[in-house]
Amino acid sequence: MNQEFLEVRGLKKYFEAGRPGLFSKDARKVHAVDGVDLTLRRSEVIALVGESGCGKSTLALLLMGLEDPTEGAVKFEGMDITHLNDSQRKKKELRRKIQMVFQDPYESLNPTQTIEEIITEPLLVHGMANTPDRDERVKKALEDAGLKPAEVYLDRYPHELSGGQRQRVVVAAALVLEPEIILADEPVSMLDVSIRAEIINLLAELRITRQIAVIFITHDLGSVGFFADRVAVMYLGRIVEVGTMLEVLENPKHPYTKALISVIPVPNPRLRHERIILQGETPNPINIPSGCRFHPRCPVAIATCKASDPPMVVVNKSHQAACLLLVK
Amino acid sequence: MEILTQKNAAPPSSNYLLEFWRKFQRNRMGLVGLGMLTAIILVAVFAPLIAPHVPGSSLTIGVSDIYKPPSAEHLFGTDDAGADVFSNFIHGARVSLTVGFFAAFISIFIGGLLGIVAGFFGGRVENFIMRFTDVMLVIPELPLMVVIIALTKPSLLNIIFVIGLLGWTTTARMVRSQTLAVKSRKFVLRARAIGSGKAHIIRRHILPLVMPILVVQAVLVVSLAVLNESTLSFLGLGDPTTLSWGQMLNYAFGRGAMSTGAWWALVFPGFGIVWVVLGLTLLGQGLEQVFNPRLDTHHLMPGRPVVTSEAGVKPVKPGTLLDVQNLSINYVTEGKPPARAVENISFTLKEGELLGLVGESGCGKTTLMLALLRLLPSAGQIVGGKVFFSGRDLTALGEEEMNEVRWSGISIVFQGAMNALNPVRTVGDQIAEAIIQHVPTFPRDKISARVTELLDLVGIAADHKDHFPHQYSGGMRQRAMIAMALACNPQVIIADEPTTALDVMIQAQILELLDELRRKLGLAVVFVTHDLGIVAEMCDHVLVMYGGVTAEYADVDIIYNEPRHPYTQELLKAFPDLTKPKKKLSSIPGYPPRLDALPAGCRFAPRCPAAFERCHIEEPALHRIGANGHLASCHLIAEKR
């Protein structure tokens, strides 16, 4: 059980940034994901945090096999799945075991399908639609996703549901295949604060009842609350800090993580605190800064940061951060 | 409870087609088109029953029968061979419509197929198909048809094929662009993620969404095909063994109808062609409006007049910049009871004060803000209350006076900065325009300096002045919007969810900027948001809205530490607080009320954990708690007293 069942090593994805000029030879590249190492254990929840443009969504697409990595390896249950194509992935049941929940529940459901059609479709695709227990599965998925009783929802269309319900439908469409991993890409950022908790609690419940591991991708660490076991902070295509939720929140080591945590709003006016507001925005991933990629925005950068790329420094067994100030 | 709320919502539509028909029924243009088309199709189908004479039969005629004017016996007169034009007209409809529909079917099939393949597969396939389409598109269609028909035998089948095979280009282009649009939507990616094959994705996801365009296009292509057939026949390239409307025109024209003054031989077949084409065009337009309802909205309708009443107006306290008293706003739709979007909202804003306006989407917060500026959409109407700004009652001002207040008194920063900026003009230009628009007398030579100054104020370097919005990042665009809002030195800025689409760090930057501007310029700010965290970080007072009414209004500390309204309490429970690791998040079950179906009694009662009988019957009054101006509308407060 404790064997690491999803393992990412040195994963890179470069996109061509348009064609090179007429007289220039080398194409410019977007370094969307630039050497990511990550492990996910069974029924573990990892929060993958970073600003837009840090490559977190690309990383999710790479894990799903919806984009082909430039370099590196992805192993699932000991099997190398880095470069498998669509049909190989389907054959090896990866398309069943790894599911994705997208950000926008308004966009990720086909408006012309009923909820029943939406939930049945994955079964159809995997040749599981002709089994006698099909209807049972569909209903169970809906009810496990919190849409009870399922009968009320089967004949409805997405536009008749609220944002939170739609997101539950997306989760149900993933659950019906009994997945082992759910990649949730900003699943609550489009929802009102009052219903965000319902989706987060739903995912938290599923990892207990169904032992599903979750990679929760978000730009707002605050929205995850304490639902995640571990946090991985991503900056410009690389993970700069990883640790358990408590370690990272209470004792962040990387200056970027410190800043990110300091700007999370605290809903208590008596606890107004100094925020570390980084200037500027995430640089363009076409031109990655030299040395430590965070140095141009880092409030505590020293001269050597410009020159050398910091390695992952072990803070303790479960907590690592890539910052030169930690190297002793 | 969830289910209950759901049942109150829109009735479940049994299926898509039925719903479509329901919408189409309300489209007058489409219905007329459909009627015209159905009539002529019926005529064509039952031609042998309707036509009084066998078409083209001239067995029993004499010289006197040629070009006889319309009479009781020959309704449309007779043609050059003495045949009954009415009968020919009715049978001609058969030929014209047959050619039209079959040719259009071929065109739509080819165009649809190529469009979907090109759009879905992309890359080289797309390049090849689209370049081929381009070539076909630049070749003048009609001369090519003429040449092909002239070279082959002009039979009906040939005509159908030539028209069909040459008429698919626009369809291909439209279908391709629609396919591209559908393909980029997330549900297609999701379908791939669950392992769907390409054929499955095209059948289940692309086709249903391309279909509407294909249907509209089909209707228009039929009319084009009918026209093309008539043209070919008129040029003498029609099938000599059949008689279409074009053929009738050709014969009449070539055989002296003009010189003998036999207008009926020309007008009636012409009328047939116009009837069909007009019917199809109307139907196509109607279908398009039903499929794409956005075509039908008018944003530029004049606003509704303000309903004013002097009852219960309180004097404005000194030092108050903005004093809103019992403001109510309705949305008025014809044939429906008015939706009470905002009811009896009161708040005040002092100089330099930052007020947080909190509520879920659809609670009326944006409506309230637009009403302050009198910028409500055409259906919105202020039906009560007063807005005092610097002592003037804004609800009583004329449009011109109001224009003076907008921007130089109160200005607004909208959410979604990309949509609010014009993509083809530089940011500096747009800021300059804002200045000139509102202060026409501003000296022109000082505008450039003023723009630089404004950009500097929001932290944008002067060299970005001449850049276009797409060269700005999301955060910079929002800063530019703030600069624009500051252009005329307003005293109040309304920030309507200015950070909703932004990353946390950029959000923090923008908030810091607003706070700094407030201190530097003494601005009063109304900050509209659904994010309680932001409000706690920076606001002085908080107004919590629910379903168009005030739930609670108090000092920021009271809202977070001694909230009295259950809605405020529940909202706080739903908000993650990283300083409290043990806290379990709980969401508020159910949904905000629909403004056109408000519950009786307290609007929050259906979702309220503390609701009791009275809450479902009687709307709670706004209770004053303590001396600090803390207000909450909940029956519990009265009960506890």
Side-chain angles (χ1 to χ4, degrees):
Chain A
M1 270 304 264
N2 274 335
Q3 152 212 10
E4 274 134 18
F5 90 130
L6 185 74
E7 206 177 337
V8 178
R9 286 285 159 262
L11 202 62
K12 291 183 182 176
K13 175 68 186 177
Y14 298 163
F15 294 102
E16 302 270 327
R19 261 178 232 181
L22 197 55
F23 299 105
S24 84
K25 267 189 183 162
D26 33 75
R28 298 192 308 156
K29 287 196 169 113
V30 178
H31 304 76
V33 173
D34 200 13
V36 162
D37 296 319
L38 189 70
T39 55
L40 179 71
R41 302 181 194 101
R42 235 173 247 281
S43 77
E44 181 186 41
V45 178
I46 288 190
L48 187 63
V49 186
E51 290 173 272
S52 47
C54 77
K56 54 194 196 299
S57 294
T58 308
L59 179 59
L61 295 181
L62 290 175
L63 296 179
M64 288 300 297
L66 295 172
E67 290 284 355
D68 196 40
T70 313
E71 248 180 68
V74 183
K75 278 185 175 177
F76 179 67
E77 292 175 333
M79 159 176 63
D80 186 359
I81 61 164
T82 320
H83 295 292
L84 298 186
N85 63 25
D86 276 355
S87 60
Q88 287 165 321
R89 282 182 171 265
K90 198 174 159 189
K91 210 182 280 167
K92 301 217 192 289
E93 293 230 298
L94 292 170
R95 286 271 178 256
R96 182 181 74 71
K97 288 179 177 171
I98 310 178
Q99 289 295 320
M100 190 155 177
V101 172
F102 293 93
Q103 171 177 17
D104 188 347
Y106 298 85
E107 268 290 296
S108 54
L109 295 175
N110 184 339
T112 63
Q113 290 182 321
T114 62
I115 305 307
E116 183 174 18
E117 283 169 333
I118 290 169
I119 311 292
T120 315
E121 187 176 16
L123 295 174
L124 207 70
V125 168
H126 288 269
M128 294 150 78
N130 291 325
T131 50
D133 60 342
R134 175 180 110 173
D135 289 349
E136 275 313 297
R137 276 173 193 262
V138 171
K139 276 182 199 160
K140 184 164 187 314
L142 275 171
E143 296 196 346
D144 280 4
L147 296 172
K148 289 177 213 171
E151 287 80 3
V152 178
Y153 296 93
L154 289 177
D155 292 330
R156 288 176 183 275
Y157 285 93
H159 70 90
E160 297 173 71
L161 305 183
S162 69
Q165 287 176 322
R166 285 183 218 209
Q167 200 59 299
R168 285 173 184 271
V169 171
V170 178
V171 173
L175 286 183
V176 75
L177 291 172
E178 291 167 9
E180 292 170 11
I181 301 178
I182 290 182
L183 289 169
D185 189 0
E186 303 261 14
V188 298
S189 67
M190 298 287 288
L191 303 177
D192 256 322
V193 172
S194 61
I195 43 178
R196 281 182 186 179
E198 104 185 24
I199 298 295
I200 288 178
N201 287 342
L202 167 65
L203 291 172
E205 221 169 87
L206 289 176
R207 59 87 67 97
I208 292 166
T209 54
R210 293 203 181 198
Q211 270 81 49
I212 297 173
V214 179
I215 298 182
F216 192 100
I217 299 168
T218 178
H219 72 270
D220 179 8
L221 191 48
S223 73
V224 192
F226 282 85
F227 147 63
D229 301 309
R230 286 197 296 152
V231 183
V233 180
M234 214 169 157
Y235 186 77
L236 262 190
R238 212 175 268 183
I239 287 173
V240 293
E241 178 156 6
V242 60
T244 66
M245 191 79 187
L246 271 180
E247 278 168 346
V248 173
L249 279 181
E250 285 173 0
N251 194 14
K253 291 293 178 194
H254 198 285
Y256 180 62
T257 317
K258 286 179 188 167
L260 267 190
I261 291 174
S262 82
V263 297
I264 296 171
V266 174
N268 189 345
R270 291 179 190 171
L271 295 176
R272 284 186 190 176
H273 55 281
E274 196 58 41
R275 291 175 290 174
I276 309 168
I277 297 181
L278 299 175
Q279 294 312 308
E281 297 177 24
T282 314
N284 191 333
I286 293 175
N287 306 310
I288 303 269
S290 65
C292 171
R293 50 195 65 209
F294 183 57
H295 85 261
R297 294 175 78 195
C298 184
V300 293
I302 50 172
T304 43
C305 293
K306 207 170 183 174
S308 65
D309 198 0
M312 262 314 208
V313 179
V314 177
V315 180
N316 64 45
K317 214 177 119 201
S318 57
H319 191 180
Q320 293 122 46
C323 178
L324 284 177
L325 296 176
L326 300 173
V327 182
K328 280 169 199 138
Chain B
M1 186 135 57
E2 255 177 51
I3 308 303
L4 264 175
T5 346
Q6 265 310 302
K7 278 193 181 141
N8 293 336
S13 51
S14 60
N15 78 42
Y16 233 69
L17 275 178
L18 222 83
E19 175 140 336
F20 171 76
W21 176 240
R22 221 164 33 83
K23 275 192 226 156
F24 185 77
Q25 271 180 322
R26 273 184 255 133
N27 189 301
R28 219 174 288 160
M29 189 158 44
L31 280 183
V32 169
L34 186 67
M36 288 171 75
L37 195 64
T38 316
I40 199 72
I41 288 176
L42 286 178
V43 164
V45 169
F46 297 109
L49 298 178
I50 301 170
H53 301 272
V54 182
S57 90
S58 45
L59 290 173
T60 56
I61 54 155
V63 180
S64 60
D65 289 327
I66 292 172
Y67 285 141
K68 265 168 89 176
S71 63
E73 193 198 342
H74 299 290
L75 278 176
F76 289 3
T78 61
D79 67 3
D80 64 291
D84 181 37
V85 174
F86 182 62
S87 307
N88 286 357
F89 171 82
I90 285 169
H91 282 271
R94 280 192 149 184
V95 181
S96 289
L97 287 177
T98 311
V99 174
F101 280 101
F102 279 100
F105 179 77
I106 295 173
S107 292
I108 290 297
F109 184 78
I110 299 176
L113 188 73
L114 289 181
I116 286 182
V117 167
F120 187 75
F121 290 96
R124 260 187 220 159
V125 180
E126 180 184 19
N127 224 330
F128 178 75
I129 293 178
M130 291 330 287
R131 292 304 80 77
F132 178 61
T133 311
D134 291 344
V135 170
M136 293 298 289
L137 204 63
V138 291
I139 296 178
E141 231 171 79
L142 193 64
L144 186 64
M145 283 183 197
V146 170
V147 171
I148 296 178
I149 299 280
L151 289 177
T152 57
K153 212 175 92 216
S155 72
L156 208 56
L157 209 63
N158 276 354
I159 290 176
I160 289 176
F161 272 104
V162 168
I163 295 176
L165 289 175
L166 291 177
W168 53 267
T169 43
T170 40
T171 310
R173 288 171 72 125
M174 286 184 75
V175 168
R176 168 183 160 267
S177 63
Q178 174 72 1
T179 308
L180 281 177
V182 176
K183 195 179 110 180
S184 67
R185 292 182 64 175
K186 279 285 174 349
F187 59 81
V188 173
L189 192 63
R190 203 174 61 79
R192 269 188 70 200
I194 58 169
S196 317
K198 293 195 170 86
H200 177 97
I201 291 178
I202 290 179
R203 202 175 65 237
R204 286 303 198 87
H205 296 291
I206 306 279
L207 211 51
L209 279 112
V210 171
M211 211 37 113
I213 283 219
L214 219 49
V215 171
V216 172
Q217 191 62 19
V219 170
L220 298 177
V221 168
V222 172
S223 79
L224 266 185
V226 169
L227 272 181
N228 276 335
E229 190 275 336
S230 308
T231 315
L232 286 174
S233 297
F234 183 73
L235 293 175
L237 294 164
D239 185 343
T241 61
T242 60
L243 198 61
S244 71
W245 290 330
Q247 203 78 297
M248 287 169 73
L249 283 175
N250 174 32
Y251 291 153
F253 200 74
R255 294 174 193 173
M258 291 287 266
S259 51
T260 52
W263 52 268
W264 52 90
L266 288 161
V267 165
F268 291 113
F271 169 78
I273 295 167
V274 171
W275 178 274
V276 168
V277 172
L278 189 65
L280 285 163
T281 312
L282 288 178
L283 178 63
Q285 292 265 347
L287 286 173
E288 201 160 6
Q289 278 178 1
V290 175
F291 287 131
N292 193 355
R294 262 174 301 172
L295 291 176
D296 212 25
T297 50
H298 305 287
H299 290 288
L300 296 174
M301 290 209 318
R304 283 165 198 274
V306 175
V307 178
T308 48
S309 68
E310 299 299 326
V313 177
K314 280 171 271 173
V316 180
K317 277 185 206 155
T320 307
L321 203 52
L322 188 66
D323 188 350
V324 176
Q325 298 186 6
N326 301 318
L327 195 64
S328 298
I329 300 147
N330 283 358
Y331 279 111
V332 188
T333 329
E334 264 175 72
K336 282 188 192 167
R340 289 138 67 200
V342 169
E343 223 165 44
N344 277 329
I345 298 273
S346 304
F347 66 86
T348 59
L349 197 63
K350 286 196 280 291
E351 207 166 287
E353 183 180 334
L354 219 164
L355 173 78
L357 180 57
V358 185
E360 286 167 278
S361 22
C363 76
K365 47 192 197 300
T366 298
T367 300
L368 175 61
M369 289 301 112
L370 290 177
L372 297 186
L373 285 166
R374 297 254 309 276
L375 286 174
L376 286 171
S378 60
Q381 181 174 27
I382 297 176
V383 292
K386 296 274 173 209
V387 179
F388 291 103
F389 172 69
S390 305
R392 292 164 96 186
D393 177 11
L394 296 190
T395 60
L397 293 189
E399 185 56 24
E400 235 162 76
E401 294 166 295
M402 195 61 219
N403 244 339
E404 285 165 27
V405 176
R406 286 178 200 139
W407 237 252
S408 28
I410 308 174
S411 67
I412 187 163
V413 179
F414 290 105
Q415 110 184 69
M418 193 58 192
N419 297 332
L421 287 169
N422 182 344
V424 296
R425 299 186 52 200
T426 66
V427 174
D429 242 20
Q430 298 187 48
I431 297 176
E433 193 193 17
I435 300 173
I436 296 167
Q437 279 258 305
H438 294 93
V439 190
T441 55
F442 201 90
R444 298 296 145 115
D445 50 325
K446 285 185 187 147
I447 282 190
S448 177
R450 173 70 179 148
V451 171
T452 311
E453 184 193 358
L454 284 168
L455 285 176
D456 182 58
L457 209 53
V458 297
I460 297 178
D463 55 333
H464 285 95
K465 195 167 80 178
D466 297 327
H467 286 181
F468 290 93
H470 73 265
Q471 291 165 299
Y472 276 39
S473 64
M476 276 170 75
R477 271 182 227 135
Q478 201 53 274
R479 283 169 191 269
M481 289 303 296
I482 295 174
M484 211 178 277
L486 293 173
C488 306
N489 297 314
Q491 291 153 284
V492 177
I493 282 200
I494 296 168
D496 189 1
E497 308 232 12
T499 61
T500 300
L502 302 174
D503 275 339
V504 274
M505 190 58 73
I506 310 301
Q507 173 177 308
Q509 290 174 359
I510 299 286
L511 296 182
E512 193 189 46
L513 172 69
L514 278 175
D515 207 29
E516 190 192 302
L517 289 172
R518 165 169 84 125
R519 263 181 269 122
K520 216 193 277 179
L521 307 174
L523 282 176
V525 182
V526 182
F527 196 92
V528 183
T529 180
H530 65 267
D531 190 336
L532 280 173
I534 297 177
V535 172
E537 295 278 350
M538 54 187 288
C539 293
D540 304 316
H541 281 87
V542 184
L543 174 64
V544 181
M545 275 180 80
Y546 185 81
V549 296
T550 306
E552 194 154 8
Y553 177 44
D555 177 58
V556 68
D557 190 70
I558 293 177
I559 289 285
Y560 287 88
N561 294 305
E562 298 159 47
R564 293 295 296 277
H565 197 287
Y567 178 61
T568 319
Q569 294 163 357
E570 291 301 306
L571 262 188
L572 285 169
K573 280 187 208 160
F575 196 83
D577 183 352
L578 293 179
T579 59
K580 294 177 186 155
K582 292 275 144 58
K583 175 179 153 185
K584 180 150 171 31
L585 289 182
S586 64
S587 59
I588 309 176
Y591 314 90
R594 285 172 33 158
L595 295 172
D596 54 351
L598 290 171
C602 172
R603 298 184 183 191
F604 185 58
R607 297 170 77 186
C608 182
F612 56 104
E613 214 186 315
R614 187 175 167 193
C615 302
H616 296 286
I617 305 162
E618 185 188 333
E619 207 164 332
L622 208 52
H623 296 282
R624 190 168 291 280
I625 305 155
N628 297 331
H630 182 185
L631 298 171
S633 63
C634 179
H635 286 311
L636 286 172
I637 296 160
E639 297 279 315
K640 273 181 193 153
R641 273 187 191 154

